[in-house]
Amino acid sequence: MSEIETVIAVSHLQKQVLAADANNNQATLSILSDINLSISCGTSVAITGASGSGKSTLLGLLAGLDLPSAGNIALFGQALTTLSEDQRAALRLGKVGFVFQSFHLLEHLTALENVLLPLELGNNSGDLTQRALTALEQVGLAARAQQLVTKLSGGEQQRVALARAFVTQPKLLFADEPTGNLDRHTGQEVAALLFRLQHDYQTTLVLVTHDESLAAQCDVWYRLADGRLQQQEPSA
Amino acid sequence: MNVYWRQWARRWRLSEMRLLFLALWISALAVAAVGFFTDRVESAMERQASQVLGGDLVVSSSRPLPDDYRQLAAKLGANRAEVISFRSMLSFDESTQLVQVKAVSTSYPLIGELQGTKNLNAASISLKGQLPASGQVWAEPRLFHALQVPMDATVVLGKSQFALTTAVTKDPSQGVNFFQIAPQVIIPLADLPATGLLSPASRAEFSLLFTGSEQVIRELKANLEAKLTPTERIRSLQEGAQNVEQALQRAGRFLGLAALLSVVLAGAAIVLTAASLVRHETRSVAVLKAFGLARRRILVDYLGNLWLLALIAGVLGAMAGFFLQALLAHWLVQVVAIDLPGASWTSAWVSIVTALVMVTGFALPALLRLLDTSPMQILQGSLPAQKTLAKVLILSILPAIFLLLWIQARELRLTVWVFFGLIVAVLLFWWVTKLVLNGLARLSTRPAWQWLALMRQSRRSLLLVVVFAMGLFTLLLLTALRTDLINRWQASVPTDAPNYFLINIQANEQAPVEQFFQQNQLQATLYPMIRGRLVEINQQPVTSEDYPKAEAKRMLEREFNLSSFANFPESNTLLEGKWFDTQTQGFSIEKGIGETLGFKLGDSLSFDIAGQRFTEKITSVREVRWDSMQPNFFVIAAPGALLDKPYTFITSLHVPSTKPELIPQLIHQFPSITAIDTSAILGQVRSLVEQATLAVQGVFAFTLVTGLLVLWSALQAQRPERQRELAVLKSLGASSQGLRQRIWLEFLLLGGLAGVLAGSLTMLAANLLGYYMFDLTVSLNPWLIILGALVGAVLVASAAWLNLRSLLRVAPMVLLKT
């Protein structure tokens, strides 16, 4: 944590999109306005808000999946707005993990192959299969490694997604409603696993959720409303 | 294992990937099998044609040919033989006989072999590598009969004496000249000057025969053509044997067309499959991008994947095509005993290139769309904006189709025709289907027609109908053409087609010869044959000097074979004027000769027949089918008109193979008659026709499979949408029974509609193609529409049922989850 104290630094971030109304007239819609944010290494940050408040848009911008309309975002000290799509991708490679609400596992692959994927993409050497198996073991799914993910339950699929996210031991993990598609009990299990792994690997976590009990478990909690970010006291 | 290979192996699990492979494989297989096969048949044909010609390229003239032609050929590395032929008198004891002298160089013949015998009572054997030695002459068997000369007798030609040592039964470059009355004798070219027969005024034909690689011949031809003087003419394979070629050209064109359409159909399957592959892979790409994969790497990955897939499909397809063709050829060789030369490897390359072009042209646009996938969509669940269809079509698919058509047809005119034909067909299908579906949707709002509501999904149905209609159209078109073509061929060489020509039947032998035919149940009509030289057209004298064209010059230098009879010849077609009735006089001419020499209906022609002038007006023009194996005449006079002139009779007849003794008996009884056995030519024509027929059937089968593949791809592409729809309907309480009926009804209607469209267009296109490409007559066959509707409905509904029935068995909850 010495060289990069701040993993993400955001200043005066704005995002506007063109949206068509019922008469097909294009109008500018402001989603995010004047967002300022700094995330330190190893912390967990929750962002909550109502549906359509722009949580996912913010997450995408922070990860460099999209570019803001105005303002600056620095990821690992690099200004994203000066980078091309491929340069932004290279910045993420091996350092950033994702967990999505609808898992987004590749259906024609087995659990093991899904976990292997990020390892194979980066320049990793050594016994990759063993590393992937270990990751599956950590989420309690080693026994089902060879099964196609379509044969797994929702909770199991999200656990495979967690193994896939953590297998490269990323510095930063983005989680978009990781429990949104799961029942309460399974959701709690997956959340517990997420925080355990985050803690074990000292990963910086950016968590977008509408589940306040989940947000409460993070070090820092922001609320997104009317395109603006407000810090929430964890105790609140 | 390398990451790329692993990704590739994993992606292979996608059904779209396998379907893509299958489409590529079948295209490569069809292209290769057709290519290999037509290649071999073409070489067989060319070999035969060059035998008739005597070389791959022949230059002839009525004057000695300049030395620089020989030097040019030597420089380019072509093989060369020389032939000088002319007519002269040959004498033995006190008798003389007009003969066709052929003086040949030591390298003669360049292609094929002479056959003959030293003993007139023994069978012919191959005389490969042998030629008459200096002081020897070889002759056709009929010279021995005509002069009553024994083997090894000494005969005189000009100032030289020759020993007559061999009877030649087959000269490969003699060709099929039925009307060469004088028997041919062969002497060494080196012996010619000593005979003193050739003076500058002599009428002789000087020929240089060449063989060599295709490249050498092409170069030689181009060089020679630039130097040719008006008296010289050049002949190459393209102008060789015409009658066999005609049948084969049609077969070749049909095969080409069928392979072409299979490729286009497979192309449609690839576009559809690639589209559903992309839909499937979009999410994967978004995930990979989120994880940090660069666009370039995604492009390399997918492109490498697809090219590798195409390469493997191409190689395997070429191999399978080769084996299939070898199997077909092996079987053919057994059935018709024809000598097929080996196949060249060009077709293998063509099939591999085809697979690569297909995957690049048809799948690349979809692939490029993948690159534009934003990783953000994974968070938002939205699909990227699709590029307009028109742009993709114009930039990638259309050029790819054009290129493929061209690779296959290698003929620009055909390519352009088929290309625009296909575009018109698609647009037409699109437009009509849209009209019909809109009509059905409107109709379904009325209570009695509510069951048609399932046709309201007009965008989806539109695509299906157009795709199905294109597939069915291709199949029906080939079916229609194939049937017509095969019937036509078989009619052209009936099993009782004449296999002998009899010439030189003397006028006084007419009655006994006819009696001989009758006794032996042979069917034959004797036609009088009168030889005359054309001397005037419309009372204006004509000579060969008046015509720049070598063909016209030749016609005027030679004597015409005229005839005179009452019944219009069966194998001819009357184009203009009226055939003779009992009162009329005049000439009936063949169309081509009129065009060459510039006379037409109403003009008058004067012939010099044995020193007497005979003039008549042209009263009719005929088209002659020269491959009919019947005696055909350029000029026919009214019945009885020429019979005061000297004439002989000619006829053709079919001698059953069970009675081989008939012809020797006839010759024995009438020694002046010359019998020419055409069964070998006929046999070749027939075997080639059989071969072509078989090949046509085989290629048709490929097209059928490709058609089914397209059908399946189209269904597969819409499967996810159908799946959601069925889940919703089931969750709303629809019974499995009801859904089953719904699927059958919808696809019976769609298939039937596609079939009607395809059948209608086939009726039009089969006639157009048949008329312009295959010389078939025009006929409107409304059955095609009914057949189209039935085949379409049954085929499409069955395929749809097979594709979708697994979705019916699944519980709706699972459908919603997936």
Side-chain angles (χ1 to χ4, degrees):
Chain A
M1 268 167 277
S2 53
E3 71 272 36
I4 307 167
E5 206 44 63
T6 306
V7 177
I8 299 175
V10 177
S11 61
H12 307 296
L13 179 95
Q14 289 184 36
K15 182 68 180 176
Q16 282 134 16
V17 290
L18 282 176
D21 63 14
N23 299 325
N24 222 8
N25 295 319
Q26 298 283 330
T28 311
L29 184 69
S30 183
I31 298 176
L32 301 171
S33 44
D34 201 30
I35 304 274
N36 293 286
L37 176 71
S38 173
I39 298 173
S40 311
C41 192
T43 54
S44 56
V45 177
I47 300 169
T48 58
S51 288
S53 60
K55 302 187 295 288
S56 295
T57 304
L58 179 59
L59 185 83
L61 290 172
L62 296 181
L65 301 183
D66 197 7
L67 286 176
S69 309
N72 291 310
I73 307 168
L75 183 66
F76 302 122
Q78 290 255 27
L80 291 182
T81 44
T82 62
L83 302 179
S84 69
E85 193 194 322
D86 280 352
Q87 286 169 324
R88 281 180 272 136
L91 191 63
R92 286 194 296 271
L93 191 63
K95 285 191 269 187
V96 175
F98 282 92
V99 177
F100 306 103
Q101 177 174 7
S102 43
F103 327 138
H104 291 313
L105 298 172
L106 305 195
E107 286 166 11
H108 60 285
L109 302 186
T110 62
L112 180 65
E113 286 164 348
N114 265 290
V115 179
L116 264 170
L117 208 58
L119 286 176
E120 289 171 351
L121 295 180
N123 295 317
N124 294 293
S125 55
D127 190 347
L128 302 185
T129 310
Q130 190 49 52
R131 276 174 72 181
L133 270 175
T134 311
L136 277 173
E137 227 165 78
Q138 284 175 326
V139 298
L141 279 175
R144 310 200 65 176
Q146 298 301 343
Q147 291 210 321
L148 282 179
V149 289
T150 45
K151 304 285 178 214
L152 303 179
S153 72
E156 286 170 329
Q157 287 194 30
Q158 193 61 304
R159 282 196 275 158
V160 174
L162 280 178
R164 180 177 71 177
F166 279 101
V167 72
T168 55
Q169 301 183 5
K171 291 198 168 72
L172 176 60
L173 181 78
F174 291 100
D176 182 28
E177 302 274 14
T179 58
N181 268 5
L182 303 173
D183 62 68
R184 190 178 170 75
H185 177 70
T186 315
Q188 280 173 350
E189 273 181 12
V190 167
L193 193 57
L194 172 68
F195 284 114
R196 201 191 79 210
L197 291 168
Q198 186 251 335
H199 181 260
D200 288 353
Y201 291 114
Q202 283 295 298
T203 310
T204 309
L205 173 69
V206 180
L207 173 73
V208 162
T209 180
H210 63 268
D211 181 347
E212 301 209 337
S213 65
L214 197 61
Q217 297 178 51
C218 290
D219 302 331
V220 188
W221 177 359
Y222 292 99
R223 242 184 232 284
L224 189 62
D226 301 326
R228 289 170 189 279
L229 212 54
Q230 288 176 332
Q231 188 163 358
Q232 186 86 12
E233 289 312 312
S235 52
Chain B
M1 203 170 32
N2 184 300
V3 178
Y4 283 103
W5 285 103
R6 230 174 313 178
Q7 300 264 21
W8 194 77
R10 285 178 198 159
R11 213 165 280 141
W12 181 246
R13 289 181 207 155
L14 293 171
S15 64
E16 287 90 350
M17 216 61 180
R18 294 197 296 264
L19 213 54
L20 203 61
F21 179 81
L22 195 63
L24 289 168
W25 182 72
I26 290 193
S27 320
L29 172 67
V31 168
V34 171
F36 281 128
F37 195 75
T38 44
D39 194 33
R40 291 181 72 179
V41 173
E42 258 168 38
S43 337
M45 193 176 91
E46 279 185 6
R47 193 187 275 184
Q48 199 181 344
S50 46
Q51 279 196 13
V52 172
L53 207 59
D56 296 332
L57 188 73
V58 175
V59 188
S60 343
S61 172
S62 53
R63 314 234 158 273
L65 291 157
D67 246 351
D68 54 337
Y69 290 7
R70 296 179 184 83
Q71 284 156 11
L72 185 67
K75 202 177 83 187
L76 291 171
N79 306 312
R80 184 190 56 166
E82 289 196 49
V83 173
I84 301 173
S85 72
F86 56 92
R87 284 194 192 180
S88 180
M89 298 307 282
L90 180 141
S91 53
F92 167 67
D93 282 350
E94 299 300 298
S95 343
T96 55
Q97 166 72 39
L98 182 70
V99 291
Q100 186 77 30
V101 180
K102 187 166 173 179
V104 302
S105 65
T106 50
S107 48
Y108 184 86
L110 290 175
I111 298 172
E113 54 182 32
L114 291 165
Q115 284 179 10
T117 173
K118 305 263 178 204
N119 178 352
L120 282 171
N121 297 319
S124 304
I125 51 161
S126 161
L127 299 172
K128 203 177 174 83
Q130 301 176 47
L131 278 179
S134 182
Q136 286 184 352
V137 62
W138 291 1
E140 268 185 83
R142 56 192 172 116
L143 179 83
F144 292 83
H145 299 293
L147 272 182
Q148 293 297 314
V149 56
M151 192 60 82
D152 295 324
T154 302
V155 294
V156 178
L157 260 177
K159 296 176 188 162
S160 306
Q161 293 197 332
F162 290 91
L164 186 55
T165 56
T166 301
V168 176
T169 52
K170 188 186 163 201
D171 177 355
S173 78
Q174 189 178 11
V176 191
N177 189 354
F178 301 143
F179 303 110
Q180 184 175 299
I181 303 279
Q184 178 178 281
V185 299
I186 300 175
I187 60 167
L189 190 62
D191 288 358
L192 184 59
T195 62
L197 287 173
L198 215 55
S199 70
S202 311
R203 285 230 332 246
E205 190 180 57
F206 297 79
S207 303
L208 284 174
L209 283 51
F210 303 104
T211 55
S213 68
E214 208 175 304
Q215 163 97 27
V216 167
I217 293 301
R218 206 181 314 123
E219 222 169 299
L220 184 63
K221 190 178 179 196
N223 275 303
L224 287 176
E225 269 167 352
K227 297 181 170 198
L228 235 46
T229 66
T231 60
E232 295 164 5
R233 68 191 183 108
I234 207 162
R235 281 173 297 163
S236 63
L237 288 186
Q238 286 77 31
E239 301 127 40
Q242 309 102 330
N243 47 5
V244 179
E245 244 178 52
Q246 240 177 15
L248 284 175
Q249 257 172 10
R250 287 190 207 119
R253 278 192 195 153
F254 179 87
L255 292 179
L257 187 72
L260 212 89
L261 292 176
S262 317
V263 166
V264 172
L265 274 185
I270 289 172
V271 173
L272 289 167
T273 314
S276 60
L277 181 71
V278 163
R279 206 170 315 138
H280 203 283
E281 287 290 275
T282 304
R283 214 174 50 183
S284 306
V285 169
V287 172
L288 293 176
K289 275 190 166 185
F291 277 127
L293 203 66
R295 282 160 53 99
R296 203 181 63 84
R297 195 160 147 200
I298 294 171
L299 180 69
V300 169
D301 184 24
Y302 275 89
L303 208 57
N305 240 224
L306 290 181
W307 277 342
L308 185 65
L309 191 79
L311 195 68
I312 295 175
V315 170
L316 291 180
M319 277 160 66
F322 181 82
F323 283 118
L324 196 72
Q325 161 276 134
L327 209 71
L328 193 67
H330 176 75
W331 183 72
L332 257 176
V333 168
Q334 286 182 336
V335 173
V336 296
I338 181 170
D339 178 28
L340 278 180
S344 81
W345 285 106
T346 320
S347 305
W349 291 117
V350 169
S351 74
I352 293 168
V353 168
T354 298
L356 286 170
V357 170
M358 286 181 102
V359 91
T360 312
F362 297 158
L364 198 65
L367 181 75
L368 290 177
R369 208 181 291 166
L370 262 186
L371 283 187
D372 291 340
T373 311
S374 156
M376 258 322 256
Q377 75 162 104
I378 216 137
L379 298 171
Q380 293 166 340
S382 64
L383 275 166
Q386 304 236 326
K387 276 195 188 129
T388 52
L389 184 68
K391 206 166 153 190
V392 173
L393 276 176
I394 290 164
L395 285 179
S396 172
I397 296 179
L398 289 182
I401 291 179
F402 192 85
L403 187 63
L404 286 173
L405 291 177
W406 188 79
I407 289 175
Q408 198 53 39
R410 275 173 260 178
E411 195 187 315
L412 194 65
R413 210 169 72 106
L414 179 63
T415 307
V416 171
W417 268 102
V418 175
F419 181 70
F420 286 105
L422 285 172
I423 292 178
V424 169
V426 170
L427 291 178
L428 206 65
F429 285 152
W430 192 271
W431 183 69
V432 176
T433 310
K434 210 169 163 151
L435 277 183
V436 172
L437 288 177
N438 283 346
L440 287 180
R442 208 162 307 143
L443 198 63
S444 72
T445 55
R446 299 186 188 174
W449 295 91
Q450 232 170 1
W451 54 275
L452 280 174
L454 50 89
M455 301 293 273
R456 273 192 219 139
Q457 275 280 10
S458 65
R459 199 186 58 85
R460 181 173 79 182
S461 306
L462 182 62
L463 181 74
L464 281 180
V465 172
V466 172
V467 169
F468 295 161
M470 277 311 287
L472 286 168
F473 167 60
T474 312
L475 293 180
L476 287 174
L477 181 64
L478 291 179
T479 314
L481 285 178
R482 182 190 64 140
T483 317
D484 281 1
L485 210 57
I486 290 174
N487 288 346
R488 159 85 183 256
W489 285 335
Q490 281 166 353
S492 76
V493 276
T495 44
D496 59 350
N499 52 5
Y500 272 94
F501 266 87
L502 301 180
I503 59 173
N504 270 347
I505 304 168
Q506 302 305 309
N508 58 9
E509 291 171 340
Q510 182 184 12
V513 167
E514 280 175 345
Q515 201 187 344
F516 179 89
F517 290 164
Q518 216 168 17
Q519 279 164 4
N520 294 292
Q521 284 133 29
L522 295 172
Q523 298 285 330
T525 311
L526 295 185
Y527 296 96
M529 190 165 91
I530 303 101
R531 296 177 70 83
R533 189 178 295 277
L534 180 66
V535 286
E536 283 178 1
I537 300 173
N538 292 332
Q539 278 77 45
Q540 298 297 312
V542 284
T543 64
S544 60
E545 307 300 316
D546 303 338
Y547 293 90
K549 270 191 168 175
E551 197 188 348
K553 281 183 192 300
R554 263 200 324 284
M555 282 179 165
L556 285 170
E557 281 165 5
R558 286 183 188 168
E559 291 189 312
F560 276 79
N561 297 309
L562 303 152
S563 191
S564 129
F565 48 86
N567 295 329
F568 188 78
E570 232 176 78
S571 58
N572 293 9
T573 315
L574 188 67
L575 297 177
E576 281 179 279
K578 254 184 80 185
W579 182 248
F580 312 113
D581 54 39
T582 46
Q583 314 297 321
T584 50
Q585 293 299 311
F587 284 138
S588 173
I589 61 154
E590 188 260 346
K591 176 182 141 213
I593 193 173
E595 284 166 2
T596 310
L597 296 175
F599 46 75
K600 54 185 190 307
L601 195 70
D603 288 346
S604 86
L605 302 179
S606 302
F607 286 91
D608 179 337
I609 301 169
Q612 291 176 292
R613 193 63 54 97
F614 182 82
T615 304
E616 279 297 344
K617 272 195 174 359
I618 299 170
T619 54
S620 65
V621 181
R622 291 163 294 125
E623 188 169 49
V624 173
R625 265 187 49 215
W626 294 103
D627 57 0
S628 64
M629 300 285 164
Q630 301 282 354
N632 280 305
F633 299 93
F634 282 126
V635 180
I636 302 171
L642 293 167
L643 299 184
D644 56 336
K645 311 281 187 301
Y647 63 91
T648 57
F649 284 100
I650 175 173
T651 190
S652 69
L653 73 170
H654 176 77
V655 180
S657 56
T658 50
K659 295 180 176 172
E661 71 287 354
L662 287 184
I663 293 296
Q665 275 175 19
L666 181 80
I667 302 292
H668 186 76
Q669 208 172 326
F670 308 97
S672 71
I673 294 181
T674 305
I676 298 164
D677 184 356
T678 55
S679 55
I681 305 169
L682 197 66
Q684 260 166 344
V685 173
R686 193 173 290 132
S687 71
L688 287 173
V689 162
E690 277 173 38
Q691 186 170 310
T693 305
L694 205 81
V696 163
Q697 315 263 37
V699 171
F700 178 72
F702 288 128
T703 318
L704 192 72
V705 173
T706 331
L708 290 175
L709 200 68
V710 177
L711 196 66
W712 196 260
S713 316
L715 290 168
Q716 193 72 18
Q718 295 193 343
R719 213 175 127 99
E721 195 182 330
R722 297 257 166 206
Q723 194 168 7
R724 273 192 300 280
E725 182 185 299
L726 287 176
V728 172
L729 289 172
K730 266 195 167 183
S731 63
L732 292 176
S735 68
S736 286
Q737 173 73 16
L739 291 176
R740 197 174 306 138
Q741 276 171 3
R742 191 189 156 89
I743 290 176
W744 275 104
L745 183 63
E746 179 179 353
F747 283 95
L748 280 171
L749 282 172
L750 290 178
L753 176 57
V756 168
L757 291 177
S760 313
L761 195 63
T762 304
M763 209 166 72
L764 198 75
N767 274 311
L768 279 176
L769 278 176
Y771 186 76
Y772 287 108
M773 277 178 72
F774 302 108
D775 303 331
L776 298 168
T777 43
V778 178
S779 65
L780 290 179
N781 187 356
W783 276 104
L784 275 173
I785 298 178
I786 299 166
L787 181 75
L790 282 176
V791 169
V794 172
L795 208 65
V796 167
S798 315
W801 174 243
L802 282 175
N803 188 280
L804 299 177
R805 87 195 145 142
S806 63
L807 296 183
L808 279 180
R809 284 200 295 261
V810 179
M813 189 51 214
V814 178
L815 291 183
L816 285 178
K817 251 176 85 179
T818 51

